[in-house]
Protein backbone atom coordinates (compact mmCIF):
# COMPACT_ATOMS: atom_id res chain seq x y z
CA UNK A 1 0.00 0.00 0.00
CA UNK A 2 2.82 2.40 0.91
CA UNK A 3 4.51 1.46 -2.36
CA UNK A 4 1.34 2.18 -4.31
CA UNK A 5 1.08 5.67 -2.80
CA UNK A 6 4.74 6.33 -3.63
CA UNK A 7 4.23 5.15 -7.19
CA UNK A 8 1.13 7.31 -7.62
CA UNK A 9 3.01 10.30 -6.22
CA UNK A 10 5.81 9.79 -8.74
CA UNK A 11 3.22 9.61 -11.52
CA UNK A 12 1.61 12.89 -10.40
CA UNK A 13 5.02 14.60 -10.22
CA UNK A 14 5.84 13.35 -13.72
CA UNK A 15 2.55 14.64 -15.11
CA UNK A 16 3.09 18.04 -13.45
CA UNK A 17 6.57 18.29 -14.98
CA UNK A 18 5.40 17.49 -18.48
CA UNK A 19 3.98 20.22 -20.59
CA UNK A 20 0.51 19.02 -21.63
CA UNK A 21 -1.66 15.95 -22.26
CA UNK A 22 -2.00 15.28 -18.54
CA UNK A 23 -3.93 12.04 -18.83
CA UNK A 24 -1.47 10.26 -21.06
CA UNK A 25 1.47 11.57 -19.05
CA UNK A 26 -0.06 10.24 -15.84
CA UNK A 27 0.04 6.71 -17.27
CA UNK A 28 3.61 7.19 -18.55
CA UNK A 29 4.62 8.54 -15.14
CA UNK A 30 3.13 5.52 -13.42
CA UNK A 31 5.15 3.15 -15.62
CA UNK A 32 8.38 5.12 -15.09
CA UNK A 33 7.75 5.36 -11.36
CA UNK A 34 7.22 1.61 -11.25
CA UNK A 35 10.53 0.98 -13.02
CA UNK A 36 12.30 3.46 -10.72
CA UNK A 37 10.95 1.80 -7.57
CA UNK A 38 11.87 -1.59 -9.01
CA UNK A 39 15.51 -0.52 -9.33
CA UNK A 40 15.47 1.08 -5.86
CA UNK A 41 14.38 -2.20 -4.29
CA UNK A 42 17.75 -3.03 -2.64
CA UNK A 43 17.68 0.42 -1.05
CA UNK A 44 14.12 0.60 0.27
CA UNK A 45 13.48 -3.04 1.01
CA UNK A 46 11.64 -5.79 -0.77
CA UNK A 47 7.86 -5.62 -1.11
CA UNK A 48 5.11 -7.83 -2.51
CA UNK A 49 3.77 -4.83 -4.38
CA UNK A 50 5.81 -5.41 -7.53
CA UNK A 51 4.62 -8.91 -8.33
CA UNK A 52 1.08 -7.88 -7.36
CA UNK A 53 0.95 -5.10 -9.95
CA UNK A 54 2.16 -7.45 -12.66
CA UNK A 55 -0.40 -10.05 -11.61
CA UNK A 56 -3.24 -7.53 -11.65
CA UNK A 57 -2.16 -6.23 -15.06
CA UNK A 58 -2.00 -9.77 -16.43
CA UNK A 59 -5.42 -10.60 -15.00
CA UNK A 60 -6.93 -7.42 -16.47
CA UNK A 61 -5.58 -8.21 -19.93
CA UNK A 62 -6.89 -11.77 -19.63
CA UNK A 63 -10.28 -10.45 -18.50
CA UNK A 64 -10.61 -7.96 -21.36
CA UNK A 65 -9.66 -10.63 -23.88
CA UNK A 66 -12.23 -13.03 -22.40
CA UNK A 67 -14.87 -10.27 -22.40
CA UNK A 68 -14.44 -9.65 -26.13
CA UNK A 69 -14.45 -13.38 -26.90
CA UNK A 70 -17.63 -13.71 -24.79
CA UNK A 71 -19.36 -11.01 -26.78
CA UNK A 72 -18.40 -12.49 -30.13
CA UNK A 73 -19.74 -15.84 -28.94
CA UNK A 74 -23.03 -14.32 -27.82
CA UNK A 75 -23.25 -12.61 -31.20
CA UNK A 76 -22.72 -16.02 -32.84
CA UNK A 77 -25.46 -17.56 -30.68
CA UNK A 78 -27.85 -14.74 -31.53
CA UNK A 79 -27.29 -15.06 -35.26
CA UNK A 80 -27.48 -18.87 -35.55
CA UNK A 81 -30.77 -20.74 -35.02
CA UNK A 82 -31.60 -21.55 -31.40
CA UNK A 83 -31.33 -25.31 -31.90
CA UNK A 84 -27.52 -25.03 -32.01
CA UNK A 85 -26.86 -24.60 -28.31
CA UNK A 86 -27.30 -26.81 -25.24
CA UNK A 87 -27.78 -24.73 -22.09
CA UNK A 88 -27.86 -26.06 -18.54
CA UNK A 89 -27.23 -25.17 -14.90
CA UNK A 90 -24.11 -26.67 -13.33
CA UNK A 91 -22.95 -26.71 -9.70
CA UNK A 92 -19.32 -25.65 -9.23
CA UNK A 93 -17.76 -26.44 -5.83
CA UNK A 94 -15.71 -23.54 -4.44
CA UNK A 95 -12.65 -23.15 -2.26
CA UNK A 96 -12.95 -21.31 1.04
CA UNK A 97 -13.14 -17.62 0.16
CA UNK A 98 -14.25 -14.28 1.55
CA UNK A 99 -17.39 -12.37 0.51
CA UNK A 100 -15.49 -9.99 -1.74
CA UNK A 101 -13.70 -12.81 -3.53
CA UNK A 102 -16.93 -14.73 -4.08
CA UNK A 103 -18.65 -11.60 -5.46
CA UNK A 104 -15.76 -10.87 -7.82
CA UNK A 105 -15.66 -14.48 -9.02
CA UNK A 106 -19.40 -14.41 -9.74
CA UNK A 107 -19.04 -11.12 -11.61
CA UNK A 108 -16.10 -12.33 -13.67
CA UNK A 109 -17.94 -15.54 -14.55
CA UNK A 110 -21.01 -13.58 -15.64
CA UNK A 111 -18.95 -11.43 -17.99
CA UNK A 112 -16.84 -14.22 -19.52
CA UNK A 113 -17.75 -16.63 -22.33
CA UNK A 114 -20.67 -18.99 -22.02
CA UNK A 115 -21.20 -18.85 -18.26
CA UNK A 116 -23.57 -16.86 -16.07
CA UNK A 117 -23.66 -17.19 -12.28
CA UNK A 118 -27.19 -17.76 -10.95
CA UNK A 119 -26.74 -18.17 -7.20
CA UNK A 120 -24.35 -19.05 -4.40
CA UNK A 121 -25.51 -21.73 -1.98
CA UNK A 122 -26.26 -20.58 1.55
CA UNK A 123 -23.26 -22.35 3.11
CA UNK A 124 -21.08 -20.85 0.32
CA UNK A 125 -19.69 -24.18 -0.88
CA UNK A 126 -21.21 -24.23 -4.35
CA UNK A 127 -21.77 -21.66 -7.07
CA UNK A 128 -24.57 -22.50 -9.50
CA UNK A 129 -23.60 -21.45 -13.02
CA UNK A 130 -25.75 -21.33 -16.13
CA UNK A 131 -23.64 -22.48 -19.09
CA UNK A 132 -24.48 -21.99 -22.75
CA UNK A 133 -22.85 -25.13 -24.18
CA UNK A 134 -22.75 -28.15 -21.89
CA UNK A 135 -21.08 -31.13 -23.53
CA UNK A 136 -19.72 -32.70 -20.37
CA UNK A 137 -20.58 -31.15 -16.96
CA UNK A 138 -17.37 -32.34 -15.31
CA UNK A 139 -15.22 -30.78 -18.01
CA UNK A 140 -16.99 -27.42 -17.67
CA UNK A 141 -16.58 -27.59 -13.88
CA UNK A 142 -12.85 -28.27 -14.18
CA UNK A 143 -12.40 -25.48 -16.73
CA UNK A 144 -14.11 -22.90 -14.52
CA UNK A 145 -12.08 -23.94 -11.48
CA UNK A 146 -8.76 -24.01 -13.27
CA UNK A 147 -9.09 -20.89 -15.38
CA UNK A 148 -11.04 -18.34 -13.39
CA UNK A 149 -11.04 -19.39 -9.75
CA UNK A 150 -7.32 -20.15 -9.57
CA UNK A 151 -6.27 -16.96 -11.33
CA UNK A 152 -8.60 -14.75 -9.32
CA UNK A 153 -7.46 -16.19 -5.99
CA UNK A 154 -3.84 -15.73 -7.06
CA UNK A 155 -4.47 -12.05 -7.68
CA UNK A 156 -6.54 -11.45 -4.55
CA UNK A 157 -4.17 -13.08 -2.08
CA UNK B 1 2.33 15.37 -37.23
CA UNK B 2 -0.48 17.11 -35.39
CA UNK B 3 -2.88 16.18 -38.15
CA UNK B 4 -1.89 12.53 -38.18
CA UNK B 5 -2.49 12.24 -34.41
CA UNK B 6 -5.82 14.00 -34.73
CA UNK B 7 -6.83 11.73 -37.57
CA UNK B 8 -5.85 8.58 -35.65
CA UNK B 9 -7.91 9.70 -32.66
CA UNK B 10 -10.93 10.25 -34.88
CA UNK B 11 -10.60 6.82 -36.45
CA UNK B 12 -10.36 5.21 -32.99
CA UNK B 13 -13.47 7.10 -31.84
CA UNK B 14 -15.41 6.03 -34.93
CA UNK B 15 -14.35 2.41 -34.50
CA UNK B 16 -15.35 2.34 -30.82
CA UNK B 17 -18.67 4.04 -31.55
CA UNK B 18 -19.62 1.60 -34.31
CA UNK B 19 -18.46 -1.46 -32.33
CA UNK B 20 -20.40 -0.31 -29.25
CA UNK B 21 -23.49 0.30 -31.37
CA UNK B 22 -23.26 -3.13 -32.99
CA UNK B 23 -22.86 -4.86 -29.61
CA UNK B 24 -25.85 -2.94 -28.20
CA UNK B 25 -27.87 -4.00 -31.23
CA UNK B 26 -26.86 -7.62 -30.62
CA UNK B 27 -27.99 -7.27 -26.99
CA UNK B 28 -31.38 -6.07 -28.20
CA UNK B 29 -31.79 -8.82 -30.77
CA UNK B 30 -30.53 -11.41 -28.27
CA UNK B 31 -33.05 -10.43 -25.63
CA UNK B 32 -35.74 -10.70 -28.27
CA UNK B 33 -35.00 -14.10 -29.74
CA UNK B 34 -33.38 -16.22 -27.02
CA UNK B 35 -35.70 -18.98 -25.79
CA UNK B 36 -35.75 -18.65 -21.97
CA UNK B 37 -34.97 -16.22 -19.15
CA UNK B 38 -31.44 -17.45 -18.47
CA UNK B 39 -30.19 -17.42 -22.05
CA UNK B 40 -31.78 -14.00 -22.50
CA UNK B 41 -29.89 -12.72 -19.47
CA UNK B 42 -26.62 -14.11 -20.81
CA UNK B 43 -27.14 -12.05 -23.96
CA UNK B 44 -28.22 -8.88 -22.16
CA UNK B 45 -25.66 -8.88 -19.33
CA UNK B 46 -22.59 -9.50 -21.49
CA UNK B 47 -23.21 -7.55 -24.67
CA UNK B 48 -25.08 -4.68 -23.05
CA UNK B 49 -22.25 -4.04 -20.59
CA UNK B 50 -19.44 -4.21 -23.14
CA UNK B 51 -21.39 -2.13 -25.69
CA UNK B 52 -22.03 0.74 -23.29
CA UNK B 53 -18.45 0.45 -21.97
CA UNK B 54 -17.08 0.88 -25.50
CA UNK B 55 -19.26 3.96 -26.04
CA UNK B 56 -17.89 5.47 -22.81
CA UNK B 57 -14.30 4.78 -23.89
CA UNK B 58 -15.10 6.51 -27.17
CA UNK B 59 -16.24 9.53 -25.14
CA UNK B 60 -12.93 9.55 -23.23
CA UNK B 61 -10.88 9.38 -26.44
CA UNK B 62 -12.98 12.10 -28.06
CA UNK B 63 -12.63 14.70 -25.26
CA UNK B 64 -9.30 13.53 -23.76
CA UNK B 65 -9.52 15.41 -20.45
CA UNK B 66 -8.82 14.29 -16.91
CA UNK B 67 -12.25 15.26 -15.56
CA UNK B 68 -14.08 13.37 -18.28
CA UNK B 69 -11.76 10.41 -17.82
CA UNK B 70 -12.52 10.17 -14.11
CA UNK B 71 -16.27 10.45 -14.62
CA UNK B 72 -16.34 7.91 -17.43
CA UNK B 73 -14.11 5.54 -15.45
CA UNK B 74 -16.57 5.85 -12.57
CA UNK B 75 -19.51 4.92 -14.80
CA UNK B 76 -17.58 2.01 -16.37
CA UNK B 77 -16.50 0.65 -12.97
CA UNK B 78 -20.04 0.99 -11.69
CA UNK B 79 -21.53 -0.76 -14.74
CA UNK B 80 -19.08 -3.65 -14.55
CA UNK B 81 -19.72 -4.13 -10.84
CA UNK B 82 -23.50 -3.75 -10.78
CA UNK B 83 -24.72 -5.24 -14.07
CA UNK B 84 -23.70 -8.81 -13.12
CA UNK B 85 -25.07 -8.38 -9.59
CA UNK B 86 -28.41 -7.14 -10.87
CA UNK B 87 -28.54 -10.00 -13.38
CA UNK B 88 -27.73 -12.51 -10.64
CA UNK B 89 -30.51 -11.13 -8.39
CA UNK B 90 -33.10 -11.32 -11.16
CA UNK B 91 -32.00 -14.83 -12.12
CA UNK B 92 -32.34 -15.99 -8.51
CA UNK B 93 -35.74 -14.33 -8.08
CA UNK B 94 -36.89 -15.71 -11.42
CA UNK B 95 -35.82 -19.24 -10.54
CA UNK B 96 -37.57 -19.07 -7.16
CA UNK B 97 -40.76 -17.67 -8.65
CA UNK B 98 -41.04 -20.70 -10.91
CA UNK B 99 -39.24 -19.75 -14.10
CA UNK B 100 -38.19 -23.00 -15.79
CA UNK B 101 -35.29 -23.68 -18.11
CA UNK B 102 -35.76 -24.07 -21.84
CA UNK B 103 -37.13 -27.51 -22.68
CA UNK B 104 -34.01 -28.45 -24.69
CA UNK B 105 -31.66 -27.69 -21.78
CA UNK B 106 -29.18 -30.44 -21.08
CA UNK B 107 -29.04 -30.47 -17.30
CA UNK B 108 -30.26 -28.61 -14.23
CA UNK B 109 -28.25 -29.36 -11.11
CA UNK B 110 -30.09 -26.64 -9.17
CA UNK B 111 -33.44 -28.41 -9.36
CA UNK B 112 -34.93 -29.08 -5.92
CA UNK B 113 -32.07 -27.43 -4.04
CA UNK B 114 -34.11 -24.42 -2.91
CA UNK B 115 -35.97 -24.65 0.37
CA UNK B 116 -39.59 -23.86 -0.43
CA UNK B 117 -40.20 -21.70 2.64
CA UNK B 118 -36.91 -20.06 3.63
CA UNK B 119 -35.42 -19.90 0.09
CA UNK B 120 -32.12 -21.19 1.47
CA UNK B 121 -30.05 -22.89 -1.23
CA UNK B 122 -28.40 -26.17 -0.30
CA UNK B 123 -25.18 -27.27 -1.93
CA UNK B 124 -26.38 -30.70 -3.00
CA UNK B 125 -23.85 -33.49 -2.99
CA UNK B 126 -21.06 -31.18 -1.80
CA UNK B 127 -22.87 -30.55 1.46
CA UNK B 128 -20.83 -31.33 4.54
CA UNK B 129 -22.51 -32.91 7.49
CA UNK B 130 -20.87 -30.95 10.30
CA UNK B 131 -23.02 -28.10 11.62
CA UNK C 1 -2.20 15.73 -46.20
CA UNK C 2 -4.58 13.91 -43.89
CA UNK C 3 -7.28 16.57 -43.72
CA UNK C 4 -10.65 15.05 -44.41
CA UNK C 5 -13.31 16.56 -46.57
CA UNK C 6 -15.89 16.04 -43.82
CA UNK C 7 -16.02 15.25 -40.12
CA UNK C 8 -16.36 11.51 -39.56
CA UNK C 9 -17.16 11.51 -35.84
CA UNK C 10 -20.60 13.22 -36.07
CA UNK C 11 -21.65 10.89 -38.87
CA UNK C 12 -20.56 7.81 -36.91
CA UNK C 13 -22.33 9.05 -33.79
CA UNK C 14 -25.53 9.57 -35.77
CA UNK C 15 -25.31 6.00 -37.10
CA UNK C 16 -24.67 4.71 -33.57
CA UNK C 17 -27.63 6.67 -32.20
CA UNK C 18 -29.84 4.98 -34.78
CA UNK C 19 -28.49 1.54 -33.85
CA UNK C 20 -29.18 2.23 -30.17
CA UNK C 21 -32.71 3.37 -31.02
CA UNK C 22 -33.38 0.15 -32.92
CA UNK C 23 -31.97 -1.92 -30.05
CA UNK C 24 -34.20 -0.05 -27.61
CA UNK C 25 -37.25 -0.69 -29.78
CA UNK C 26 -36.52 -4.42 -29.93
CA UNK C 27 -36.02 -4.53 -26.16
CA UNK C 28 -39.31 -2.64 -25.83
CA UNK C 29 -41.08 -5.44 -27.72
CA UNK C 30 -39.73 -7.91 -25.14
CA UNK C 31 -40.84 -5.55 -22.35
CA UNK C 32 -44.40 -5.54 -23.67
CA UNK C 33 -44.58 -9.20 -24.62
CA UNK C 34 -42.41 -10.91 -21.97
CA UNK C 35 -44.23 -13.97 -20.69
CA UNK C 36 -43.17 -13.46 -17.06
CA UNK C 37 -42.36 -10.46 -14.87
CA UNK C 38 -38.68 -11.44 -14.70
CA UNK C 39 -38.39 -11.14 -18.49
CA UNK C 40 -39.83 -7.66 -18.33
CA UNK C 41 -37.37 -6.63 -15.62
CA UNK C 42 -34.45 -7.88 -17.73
CA UNK C 43 -35.71 -5.90 -20.71
CA UNK C 44 -36.13 -2.78 -18.56
CA UNK C 45 -32.57 -3.17 -17.26
CA UNK C 46 -31.21 -3.42 -20.80
CA UNK C 47 -33.20 -0.36 -21.90
CA UNK C 48 -31.68 1.63 -19.03
CA UNK C 49 -28.15 0.56 -19.98
CA UNK C 50 -28.88 1.58 -23.57
CA UNK C 51 -30.15 4.94 -22.27
CA UNK C 52 -26.75 5.55 -20.67
CA UNK C 53 -25.24 4.70 -24.07
CA UNK C 54 -27.56 7.17 -25.81
CA UNK C 55 -26.58 9.93 -23.38
CA UNK C 56 -22.89 9.19 -24.02
CA UNK C 57 -23.17 9.22 -27.79
CA UNK C 58 -25.35 12.33 -27.74
CA UNK C 59 -22.73 14.16 -25.69
CA UNK C 60 -20.12 13.21 -28.29
CA UNK C 61 -22.44 14.41 -31.07
CA UNK C 62 -23.19 17.79 -29.48
CA UNK C 63 -19.81 18.31 -27.72
CA UNK C 64 -21.65 18.76 -24.40
CA UNK C 65 -19.88 17.07 -21.51
CA UNK C 66 -22.51 18.20 -18.99
CA UNK C 67 -24.75 15.33 -20.09
CA UNK C 68 -22.39 12.71 -18.67
CA UNK C 69 -23.58 13.58 -15.15
CA UNK C 70 -27.10 12.60 -16.14
CA UNK C 71 -25.61 9.29 -17.33
CA UNK C 72 -24.03 8.66 -13.93
CA UNK C 73 -27.35 9.32 -12.19
CA UNK C 74 -29.28 7.02 -14.54
CA UNK C 75 -26.77 4.19 -14.00
CA UNK C 76 -27.02 4.60 -10.22
CA UNK C 77 -30.81 4.82 -9.97
CA UNK C 78 -31.51 1.93 -12.31
CA UNK C 79 -29.41 -0.48 -10.27
CA UNK C 80 -31.45 0.32 -7.17
CA UNK C 81 -34.66 -0.12 -9.16
CA UNK C 82 -33.61 -3.53 -10.45
CA UNK C 83 -32.66 -4.70 -6.96
CA UNK C 84 -36.05 -3.56 -5.66
CA UNK C 85 -37.83 -5.46 -8.46
CA UNK C 86 -35.82 -8.61 -7.70
CA UNK C 87 -36.70 -8.41 -4.00
CA UNK C 88 -40.37 -7.93 -4.86
CA UNK C 89 -40.30 -10.94 -7.19
CA UNK C 90 -38.76 -13.10 -4.48
CA UNK C 91 -41.19 -11.93 -1.78
CA UNK C 92 -44.15 -12.64 -4.03
CA UNK C 93 -42.98 -16.21 -4.60
CA UNK C 94 -43.30 -17.07 -0.90
CA UNK C 95 -46.16 -19.51 -0.36
Amino acid sequence: MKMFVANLLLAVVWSLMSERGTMFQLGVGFVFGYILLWYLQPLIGHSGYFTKVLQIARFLIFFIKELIVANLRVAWHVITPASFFKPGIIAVPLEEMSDLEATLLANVLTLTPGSFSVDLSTDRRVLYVHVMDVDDPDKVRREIKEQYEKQLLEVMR
Amino acid sequence: MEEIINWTFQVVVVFLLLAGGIFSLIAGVGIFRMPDLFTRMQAAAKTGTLGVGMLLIALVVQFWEVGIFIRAALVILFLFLTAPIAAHLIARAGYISGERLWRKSVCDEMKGQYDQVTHALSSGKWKQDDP
Amino acid sequence: MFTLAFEIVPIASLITLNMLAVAMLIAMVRLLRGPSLADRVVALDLIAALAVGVITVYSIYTNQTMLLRAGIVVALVVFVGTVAFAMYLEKRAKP
Side-chain angles (χ1 to χ4, degrees):
Chain A
M1 201 61 217
K2 224 193 280 175
M3 283 296 189
F4 179 66
V5 174
N7 201 343
L8 211 61
L9 218 64
L10 282 174
V12 170
V13 169
W14 174 277
S15 68
L16 287 180
M17 294 293 183
S18 61
E19 162 178 24
R20 65 194 182 88
T22 334
M23 237 187 61
F24 180 64
Q25 296 295 347
L26 205 69
V28 174
F30 194 84
V31 173
F32 278 144
Y34 181 78
I35 295 171
L36 183 71
L37 285 174
W38 176 277
Y39 274 110
L40 282 181
Q41 239 177 351
L43 212 64
I44 53 182
H46 194 72
S47 156
Y49 170 68
F50 298 100
T51 47
K52 190 102 297 185
V53 167
L54 286 185
Q55 271 177 358
I56 290 175
R58 201 183 320 130
F59 186 75
L60 274 183
I61 290 170
F62 168 76
F63 175 66
I64 289 169
K65 196 195 84 200
E66 290 286 296
L67 187 61
I68 290 169
V69 171
N71 279 281
L72 294 179
R73 264 180 66 173
V74 169
W76 173 248
H77 280 308
V78 168
I79 293 164
T80 52
S83 54
F84 273 38
F85 52 81
K86 298 175 272 186
I89 292 184
I90 284 179
V92 180
L94 295 182
E95 312 277 323
E96 285 286 325
M97 54 170 80
S98 66
D99 278 346
L100 178 67
E101 284 162 356
T103 312
L104 278 181
L105 179 65
N107 275 11
V108 167
L109 278 181
T110 299
L111 291 174
T112 46
S115 50
F116 172 87
S117 46
V118 178
D119 206 354
L120 189 65
S121 73
T122 314
D123 60 358
R124 303 223 307 239
R125 284 231 164 70
V126 169
L127 183 67
Y128 289 92
V129 179
H130 181 268
V131 182
M132 214 56 160
D133 285 304
V134 190
D135 289 323
D136 173 15
D138 284 316
K139 197 172 144 236
V140 176
R141 218 166 284 164
R142 209 169 49 238
E143 262 177 26
I144 288 176
K145 276 189 84 68
E146 269 170 19
Q147 283 193 347
Y148 302 110
E149 192 188 19
K150 218 173 109 198
Q151 286 212 38
L152 188 80
L153 286 183
E154 228 169 52
V155 170
M156 292 300 291
R157 281 173 185 167
Chain B
M1 195 59 203
E2 192 87 341
E3 266 174 7
I4 298 175
I5 293 174
N6 203 359
W7 189 78
T8 321
F9 269 45
Q10 284 196 6
V11 170
V12 170
V13 170
V14 168
F15 172 76
L16 284 170
L17 276 175
L18 292 182
I22 288 171
F23 278 135
S24 309
L25 203 57
I26 286 171
V29 177
I31 210 175
F32 178 66
R33 65 171 295 250
M34 286 298 189
D36 72 345
L37 176 71
F38 299 95
T39 44
R40 258 173 227 151
M41 295 189 82
Q42 287 233 17
K46 281 180 190 135
T47 41
T49 317
L50 184 72
V52 177
M54 276 181 155
L55 296 179
L56 282 161
I57 296 174
L59 183 87
V60 173
V61 177
Q62 167 75 9
F63 288 105
W64 205 245
E65 287 168 29
V66 182
I68 304 292
F69 171 72
I70 292 172
R71 262 173 240 148
L74 208 70
V75 179
I76 290 176
L77 189 74
F78 195 75
L79 269 181
F80 273 72
L81 276 180
T82 58
I85 293 177
H88 146 76
L89 276 171
I90 301 171
R92 175 187 153 85
Y95 199 97
I96 287 176
S97 66
E99 190 81 27
R100 280 299 84 108
L101 287 170
W102 185 38
R103 65 196 152 74
K104 279 188 193 161
S105 294
V106 180
C107 59
D108 182 5
E109 295 182 357
M110 208 157 123
K111 197 171 190 173
Q113 305 289 351
Y114 271 114
D115 190 304
Q116 286 295 316
V117 182
T118 59
H119 293 172
L121 181 62
S122 104
S123 45
K125 61 179 169 175
W126 284 276
K127 184 152 66 184
Q128 289 199 347
D129 292 325
D130 54 5
Chain C
M1 70 195 264
F2 274 112
T3 40
L4 295 170
F6 48 87
E7 294 277 311
I8 47 176
V9 173
I11 296 172
S13 44
L14 267 186
I15 295 172
T16 311
L17 274 177
N18 281 313
M19 282 180 186
L20 286 170
V22 173
M24 263 180 160
L25 267 179
I26 299 172
M28 196 74 88
V29 174
R30 177 54 72 193
L31 178 70
L32 295 177
R33 244 182 58 174
S36 71
L37 190 53
D39 289 308
R40 290 172 213 262
V41 179
V42 175
L44 202 61
D45 204 36
L46 182 68
I47 288 176
L50 292 179
V52 177
V54 167
I55 290 171
T56 314
V57 179
Y58 194 68
S59 70
I60 292 178
Y61 182 61
T62 57
N63 245 342
Q64 272 275 339
T65 56
M66 275 304 269
L67 287 171
L68 190 53
R69 285 156 209 203
I72 296 176
V73 173
V74 171
L76 280 166
V77 170
V78 160
F79 173 62
V80 178
T82 309
V83 172
F85 261 125
M87 285 175 89
Y88 165 69
L89 263 176
E90 212 181 309
K91 277 257 167 58
R92 204 180 59 162
K94 266 198 178 151

